[in-house]
Amino acid sequence: MVLKAFFPTCCASADSGLLVGRWVPEQSSAVVLAVVHFPFIPIQVKELLAQVQQASRVGMAVLGTWCHRQQEPEESLGHFLEGLGTIFSHEPWLQLCRERGSKFWSCKAIHRQVSAAPDVPSEDQVMLIFYDQRKVLLSQLHPPTVVSDHQDGDTMASTGGLAVVFDTVARSEVLFCSDQYDEGPVRLSHWQSEGVEASVLVELAKRASGPVCLLLACLLSLISAASGCRLWKLWPLPFIRSKLSTCEQLRHRLDHLTLVFSTQKAQSPAQLMRKANMLVSVLLDVALGLMLLSWLHSSNRIGQLADALVPVADHVAEELQHLLQWLMGAPAGLKMNRALDQVLGRFFLYHIHLWISYIHLMSPFIERILWHVGLSACLGLTVALSILSDIIALLTFHIYCFYVYGARLYCLKIYGLSSLWRLFRGKKWNVLRQRVDSCSYNLDQLFIGTLLFTILVFLLPTTALYYLVFTLLRLLVVTVQGLIHLLVDLVNTLPLYSLGLRLCRPYRLADKPSALQ
């Protein structure tokens, strides 16, 4: 008969002692959880197993002995190991031994009660299977069913394969609470026996996280209450807030921080993973913002940007003036309506003149404005990028005005031409019923309609050209802002924590149903 023994890799270098774990008779397998070191008192070992069994509801027993011959001489443990089998009396009794100076192991499973001769115990073959307890605990692949042992009289849950191993290790966390420096009567070796003392800072951080999260949650609730005040709902504040990317990003960050520092426990692993992704995203955002802040305030780069902003604005205005002068002539050899072309060109040139005057009026305050904007980077890189998007929108406001004027004028002409075209066809638009109905027109109406249609048709190329040029300029600005918003959304929504687990610890993201099937 072949028996399977699941042995933890962390116990391969442990001192000689007892194998503590759970026996699964249906699968003829033994799950080793820890090694009890010599010296010990048997009654204290039994009391420890009873406490663990009561807390975890998993049948614990002493499965056999473990002998590390590189650390202990064989003759000093021979008779003692044989006597332990009569004290704990488990069937079968495992005897695992690591040979001196070799990588080979000696594995035996002895049956004393079923032996034909009382002095000659029968032996079974043992298949030794190594597993990592830390990965098993972190993967959380065990089903949420209560598994009990036949030794306690309970009914075994219907789980098969590796699910029993996962469930046994996961429910035996009480056994892993002691380390090698504990002053208890029983000293164990398991996956955490070498690392519990190193996690003191982690435990202190866990203890302090509750009050810190409560304090931050109260602070965020006050900020949320202040942002929901009726004063912010007075016109035109809601309109301005909806147009500014900074306000939208601050609102998103407030929602993210409220979820991250919430005192409510996560209801599911998906919600816990979402909170972890948000926390890592916020930390990365703040770290990148601080790096940007240090870069801006070193070597007087803010002053250099402020000095270069006005010449850049003058250069852009000069290029726009050249473009309008080109449109006021004969662009690409097209025949334009000279009167309308001159009116539109002078109208837009006057807007550029007003905008340049405004920029020169604000030039003494630009450096101070950029300095305060740079301080906002401590809130995160996304906030700084949102402010940059708003600054671009303000600096190109004249281009937006040109686009709106050209679009409105073009739409009015298209609407007039479509209405006059229905006049030639003997139709009209019924406003009450929202449909096109037949209509009879007299001679004067047809004459005036023909005259207006001719005027609009000859003026349409000039209007369409201005609309096309300003639409392309507006599209260029929107593309730049879109790239900035794409970077902001990437930082906000990229699951960095999940990607890190996928690269470093993929077993943490293993699918439960597929892993158990």
Side-chain angles (χ1 to χ4, degrees):
M1 182 177 180
V2 179
L3 304 180
K4 292 180 293 185
F6 293 90
F7 191 81
T9 55
C10 56
C11 296
S13 59
D15 298 337
S16 300
L18 297 176
L19 299 176
V20 177
R22 174 170 176 261
W23 171 252
V24 185
E26 287 78 8
Q27 303 178 11
S28 299
S29 61
V31 182
V32 179
L33 299 174
V35 174
V36 180
H37 295 173
F38 295 117
F40 57 83
I41 301 177
I43 188 62
Q44 294 176 346
V45 176
K46 293 182 178 180
E47 291 178 356
L48 174 64
L49 296 181
Q51 295 175 0
V52 175
Q53 181 175 350
Q54 182 179 3
S56 61
R57 301 183 64 181
V58 175
M60 295 289 177
V62 177
L63 303 177
T65 58
W66 158 253
C67 179
H68 200 304
R69 291 180 179 175
Q70 295 180 353
Q71 300 174 355
E72 299 289 343
E74 181 180 2
E75 57 273 7
S76 62
L77 292 175
H79 298 286
F80 185 72
L81 294 178
E82 293 179 359
L84 291 176
T86 59
I87 295 176
F88 294 98
S89 65
H90 183 272
E91 291 291 336
W93 183 256
L94 299 178
Q95 291 183 357
L96 303 182
C97 182
R98 188 172 183 178
E99 300 294 338
R100 180 190 301 271
S102 175
K103 297 182 179 180
F104 296 99
W105 291 43
S106 175
C107 306
K108 299 179 182 180
I110 302 175
H111 292 270
R112 297 180 181 274
Q113 299 179 358
V114 298
S115 176
D119 296 335
V120 181
S122 62
E123 295 184 4
D124 293 331
Q125 295 181 357
V126 179
M127 180 187 297
L128 194 60
I129 303 174
F130 293 95
Y131 73 97
D132 193 338
Q133 288 181 342
R134 182 175 64 90
K135 292 184 178 181
V136 170
L137 283 171
L138 293 178
S139 60
Q140 297 180 356
L141 296 177
H142 56 281
T145 56
V146 178
V147 180
S148 58
D149 207 339
H150 280 293
Q151 297 176 357
D152 300 330
D154 298 333
T155 303
M156 174 71 68
S158 59
T159 56
L162 296 177
V164 177
V165 180
F166 282 106
D167 190 86
T168 301
V169 177
R171 295 181 183 275
S172 305
E173 295 182 359
V174 182
L175 188 65
F176 305 141
C177 293
S178 60
D179 63 358
Q180 60 180 350
Y181 297 104
D182 286 341
E183 298 179 356
V186 179
R187 190 164 61 96
L188 303 175
S189 284
H190 45 75
W191 73 278
Q192 208 176 4
S193 59
E194 300 292 338
V196 173
E197 68 278 0
S199 61
V200 175
L201 296 178
V202 177
E203 294 297 329
L204 292 177
K206 290 181 180 179
R207 296 294 181 89
S209 62
V212 171
C213 289
L214 182 60
L215 178 61
L216 292 177
C218 295
L219 181 61
L220 292 174
S221 62
L222 292 177
I223 296 176
S224 300
S227 63
C229 182
R230 293 184 178 181
L231 180 63
W232 301 103
K233 297 181 181 180
L234 297 177
W235 192 89
L237 294 180
F239 176 77
I240 297 176
R241 187 171 58 182
S242 63
K243 297 300 180 181
L244 293 178
S245 302
T246 306
C247 296
E248 294 294 327
Q249 178 59 27
L250 290 177
R251 184 177 60 83
H252 283 300
R253 273 296 176 231
L254 182 60
D255 296 338
H256 294 170
L257 293 176
T258 303
L259 179 62
V260 168
F261 295 108
S262 176
T263 55
Q264 296 181 358
K265 189 177 181 180
Q267 302 297 328
S268 62
Q271 186 178 1
L272 182 62
M273 188 66 66
R274 181 167 176 262
K275 293 179 67 174
N277 286 325
M278 286 187 179
L279 178 60
V280 174
S281 176
V282 171
L283 293 179
L284 179 64
D285 186 19
V286 174
L288 293 177
L290 292 178
M291 292 175 59
L292 177 62
L293 181 63
S294 63
W295 181 81
L296 288 175
H297 286 79
S298 61
S299 302
N300 194 23
R301 287 190 174 88
I302 292 183
Q304 297 175 5
L305 291 176
D307 295 338
L309 185 60
V310 175
V312 169
D314 291 337
H315 179 71
V316 172
E318 184 179 355
E319 293 296 329
L320 286 176
Q321 290 176 355
H322 292 328
L323 178 63
L324 289 174
Q325 292 174 0
W326 178 71
L327 291 176
M328 292 171 63
L334 297 177
K335 183 66 176 178
M336 310 292 292
N337 186 279
R338 184 170 182 78
L340 181 61
D341 195 7
Q342 292 294 324
V343 170
L344 293 178
R346 292 175 181 177
F347 177 74
F348 292 132
L349 285 175
Y350 180 70
H351 275 72
I352 294 176
H353 175 70
L354 290 179
W355 183 251
I356 291 300
S357 300
Y358 172 73
I359 291 295
H360 284 278
L361 183 64
M362 294 292 295
S363 58
F365 310 99
I366 289 179
E367 183 176 358
R368 187 175 301 177
I369 293 174
L370 292 179
W371 188 83
H372 288 89
V373 169
L375 288 179
S376 64
C378 62
L379 300 177
L381 179 64
T382 55
V383 177
L385 291 177
S386 300
I387 295 177
L388 177 62
S389 177
D390 294 335
I391 291 176
I392 292 176
L394 292 175
L395 292 178
T396 58
F397 183 71
H398 53 303
I399 297 179
Y400 175 75
C401 294
F402 295 165
Y403 164 74
V404 171
Y405 296 153
R408 289 296 179 89
L409 187 59
Y410 180 76
C411 290
L412 286 176
K413 289 195 175 183
I414 293 297
Y415 179 77
L417 289 173
S418 61
S419 299
L420 294 174
W421 178 251
R422 286 194 294 267
L423 184 141
F424 296 148
R425 297 165 52 207
K427 307 240 180 229
K428 72 172 183 178
W429 174 255
N430 193 332
V431 181
L432 296 178
R433 297 188 178 183
Q434 296 294 314
R435 67 182 186 184
V436 177
D437 294 335
S438 300
C439 181
S440 59
Y441 297 96
N442 54 29
L443 187 59
D444 295 337
Q445 291 175 337
L446 291 174
F447 176 76
I448 295 176
T450 304
L451 183 61
L452 293 177
F453 184 81
T454 304
I455 294 174
L456 292 179
V457 166
F458 283 107
L459 294 179
L460 181 62
T462 304
T463 307
L465 181 61
Y466 275 88
Y467 171 66
L468 178 61
V469 171
F470 294 140
T471 301
L472 294 177
L473 291 176
R474 176 60 182 169
L475 184 61
L476 179 61
V477 176
V478 170
T479 301
V480 175
Q481 289 183 310
L483 293 177
I484 295 176
H485 292 166
L486 181 62
L487 182 58
V488 171
D489 294 337
L490 184 64
V491 176
N492 287 333
T493 60
L494 188 65
L496 298 174
Y497 183 73
S498 300
L499 291 177
L501 289 182
R502 176 62 65 184
L503 296 176
C504 301
R505 296 181 178 180
Y507 51 85
R508 292 288 301 272
L509 299 177
D511 187 34
K512 294 183 180 180
S514 61
L516 293 178
Q517 289 177 354

